[in-house]
Amino acid sequence: LSETDVSMANTIRRIMIAEVPTLAIDLADFHENTTVLNDEYIAHRLGLIPIRYQAPDSLRGGDCHPTFLPNRECTCQERCPRCSVEFDLDVDFDRENVTRTESERVLPLTITSTYLRSNNECVAPAHFLNEEEQEEAHDEGISIVKIGPGQKLKLTAVARMGISREHAKWCPVAVATYRFWPEVNFNTEQLATLSIDQKQELIDVCPDRILELDEVTGEMTTVENAYEVATFTDDLKDLQNSMKKRAEDDDFVSITQSEDRFIFLVESTGAMDAEDIVMSSLRVLKDKLQYLARDVANLEP
């Protein structure tokens, strides 16, 4: 993000965390539960399963806002396909155990998010964050509860659209943060007064290793990923002060935080792709500004 200030960067970050709409299970109707966990505990776990919406013409986890309405704004009596998605779950240990291998039949059965059957082909639980996680996982999805012989779980769950300002289960991000873009400037005149060993000292003192020495020219440069790992420590500043002939001399190398450029890190819960979370947050911000502009216009005489 560039050509703006920290207030805008923080606004986008806060919208991504609290105001990007997603789908989450908001209601669970239990028909039969003979597991070791009570209804409320299982309902809570169901609510925290990321629900992914994929448009019919896309493979990405996208913004559900154009397709669904908040339940409070829908004109239906209770629920309808416009404001909700139903999931059915019906697992009987004795029935499922017949299909398992001999070695697995003596073990408990883990009910995961893969047992949730949606009535909307575009909506499904996000069983894994990515393909790498899927390959490394020991389960087939997100674990809900383990059951043994004679135990059964049957329920209907309803997912609705909401934002995490109302409840954390609607939060689309696991991490949403930003850091200042580092601006690295080399004072060539001052650096010319240093020996190769002194330059190497400046490089070695940086804990993030963002500087390197060109073996051919002997000049200092930044490493390829310097802008991703710079931590703005004072170690370099302190060493430079000890190397200066006069305290008022300019620094050999200055690393400062840009005031109008930022690096964002957005990690999704799986409900949406990270790029779509960013674009959705910008849409929410635009809608807020338009709403404010209309209200201000109505105040004018």
Side-chain angles (χ1 to χ4, degrees), residues 16-27 43-56 60-72 74 79-87 116 118-127 142 157-173 268-273 277 280 283:
M16 284 191 284
I17 293 172
E19 298 193 53
V20 170
T22 62
L23 293 169
I25 292 175
D26 193 40
L27 177 66
H44 180 263
R45 301 194 73 166
L46 289 170
L48 296 180
I49 295 174
I51 304 298
R52 189 177 180 89
Y53 168 75
Q54 288 183 318
R60 301 170 61 88
D63 190 350
C64 62
H65 178 264
T67 307
F68 293 93
L69 286 172
N71 182 252
R72 297 185 184 91
C74 191
R79 57 178 179 266
C80 68
R82 189 73 176 90
C83 67
S84 62
V85 178
E86 289 191 7
F87 293 89
L116 288 166
S118 172
N119 69 345
N120 187 323
E121 61 181 12
C122 296
V123 179
H127 309 302
I142 300 171
V158 179
R160 293 169 176 159
M161 187 175 73
I163 57 176
S164 66
R165 190 172 62 180
E166 182 178 349
H167 194 284
K169 65 186 177 185
W170 279 297
C171 185
V173 295
S268 170
T269 60
M272 297 173 64
D273 286 3
I277 294 173
S280 181
R283 176 192 57 76

Side-chain angles (χ1 to χ4, degrees), residues 128-195:
F128 300 100
L129 187 60
N130 50 46
E131 292 182 0
E132 182 182 351
E133 184 183 68
Q134 184 174 356
E135 292 174 357
E136 296 176 354
H138 298 289
D139 293 324
E140 296 180 354
I142 300 171
S143 299
I144 299 172
V145 65
K146 292 181 182 289
I147 60 174
Q151 293 183 332
K152 182 178 181 180
L153 180 62
K154 184 178 181 181
L155 60 86
T156 300
V158 179
R160 293 169 176 159
M161 187 175 73
I163 57 176
S164 66
R165 190 172 62 180
E166 182 178 349
H167 194 284
K169 65 186 177 185
W170 279 297
C171 185
V173 295
V175 176
T177 185
Y178 66 87
R179 43 199 303 273
F180 295 93
W181 182 273
E183 294 181 341
V184 183
N185 297 302
F186 297 98
N187 189 324
T188 53
E189 292 183 5
Q190 284 288 86
L191 286 171
T193 65
L194 298 180
S195 65

